[in-house]
Amino acid sequence: MDFAMQPDSEEMQVFRREAQEWFAEAMKDGAHLKFSANWSTRENEEEYEFRRNLARKVGAKGWMFPVYPREYGGGGLTVEHQMVLENEIGKYGLTLEHIFYTLARLAVPCIFTWGTEEQKQAFLPPLMTGEVGCWQLLTEPQGGSDVANAQTTAIKDGDVYVVNGQKTMVGSIHYPDFFWTLVNTNPQGARHENLSWIYIPGDLPGISRSPLNLLMGRKNTVFFDNVRVPEFYLVGGENNGWKVGNTHLELEHSGGGSLGEDGLVKHLIQYCEETESNGAPLLEDPDVRDLLADVLIGSHISALWGRRNWWHRYAHRPHGYGGTQARYYSRMRRLVVAERLQQILGYHTLIPNFDVPEAIDFEHAARQGPGTLHGGGTLDTDRLIMGRRMGLGRPTAEQAPITTPGSSEA
């Protein structure tokens, strides 16, 4: 399969010039910041505020979710427009969906696919335009990767659901506007048939959190104590949460793909060009070049899988185990990158040097390498999904859901 980008049409040439000029102006005040392709790695207020404001600006143009309808906060544009936008913002080390730490990239497709028209009108525009932040809450103390074992309950009481329980290892430093979470709406019901998805406003009484400082970074435990959530916020119907979860988890497990690349590799090469050891740039050391080549090759493989999955998604062609395959490889690669960073930079990798932005990126990557093997389900979860999608041990292969506007759910 040819993954090369095709030349722009005349229309796309005009649009690309518009996007180039717009991003050049929007990114001007953040020129001194060095971004990774995903979340903020430095978690400082200056970067957070810049990225949050950038999300609002991009969202106001409908560019955060370009192919979604305008009436919900999207751009009403084509896939070709999105490819141009991803390419242009990618030059700054960012992707559209990862401008700042929000789980809109997961909540939006689920609400669009499973929500009522009234819910779409109410929930989607603020998410798509970057006006609100959202955390995903799945992991529970007793559940781990077994999300179907959710013990956090949401019991119907008139026109509200009363939520009690806790979610752990979630979120980041900055408190969100909403929580997108899986709850148990029928504790006596059969497994997979007793779950629901609910979109909880973060300012409701009875919600509290306790910080968790983990190897992979700042996380939290969120507690719900008789939190009364209007029934309007239950998405997809009561006890239908496992079907909604198929859409959510497919995207979390890389089923949506990506056109972006990891800015960490570019930062590392630049750092080795500019940093000397024994009177010569690190890049002149043949051992360092070998290690950099290994990191670069892995990065390119991940990028190609991301493009493949992205194309499958927007062509409305479910790709079986492709998303989880890419995720598994990416997570294993991050562990290798953490090791290569320490081999190249030694103990400097483990020390956050705030005078050198790249060094903060490296220190975070070194910590995140081992931690990423557990986030969003373990490696065993990835292998299980791949096996089921291939039909191993079952009479029929499990089907992947379609997660894009303009399609019907499989």
Side-chain angles (χ1 to χ4, degrees), residues 102-181:
T102 177
L103 267 294
R105 66 188 180 90
L106 302 180
V108 163
C110 291
I111 295 171
F112 185 88
T113 302
W114 296 97
T116 65
E117 181 60 28
E118 292 76 16
Q119 288 174 326
K120 287 191 262 189
Q121 293 285 351
F123 303 155
L124 290 180
L127 283 167
M128 289 198 194
T129 57
E131 289 299 322
V132 300
C134 177
W135 285 1
Q136 160 194 277
L137 306 186
L138 285 180
T139 302
E140 296 188 4
Q142 81 298 323
S145 298
D146 184 12
V147 295
N149 190 34
Q151 301 297 304
T152 297
T153 58
I155 306 303
K156 190 78 175 295
D157 180 20
D159 59 354
V160 302
Y161 284 93
V162 182
V163 181
N164 284 282
Q166 61 179 296
K167 304 287 183 173
T168 192
M169 296 181 67
V170 295
S172 62
I173 288 178
H174 300 94
Y175 194 78
D177 303 287
F178 288 90
F179 299 104
W180 174 241
T181 185

Side-chain angles (χ1 to χ4, degrees), residues 29-50:
D29 293 337
H32 61 294
L33 301 172
K34 292 186 180 293
F35 306 111
S36 290
N38 296 314
W39 314 119
S40 165
T41 59
R42 287 166 288 284
E43 296 178 335
N44 65 47
E45 289 303 315
E46 180 189 12
E47 182 175 346
Y48 175 79
E49 289 301 327
F50 176 82

Side-chain angles (χ1 to χ4, degrees), residues 203-280:
D203 59 357
L204 291 180
I207 302 175
S208 60
R209 65 166 173 164
S210 177
L212 294 172
N213 293 310
L214 305 175
L215 181 67
M216 68 184 75
R218 168 68 174 273
K219 295 294 180 181
N220 306 269
T221 297
V222 177
F223 301 90
F224 298 97
D225 183 9
N226 289 320
V227 179
R228 299 181 69 82
V229 185
E231 63 179 339
F232 180 67
Y233 287 87
L234 191 91
V235 176
E238 188 174 289
N239 299 324
N240 196 44
W242 193 246
K243 291 183 179 179
V244 181
N246 284 335
T247 301
H248 175 100
L249 293 170
E250 177 67 10
L251 291 169
E252 186 186 21
H253 294 164
S254 300
S258 173
L259 295 180
E261 296 189 21
D262 192 349
L264 174 70
V265 178
K266 181 178 69 175
H267 295 169
L268 180 58
I269 293 173
Q270 179 183 342
Y271 184 84
C272 290
E273 289 174 337
E274 298 173 352
T275 304
E276 292 190 356
S277 177
N278 297 322

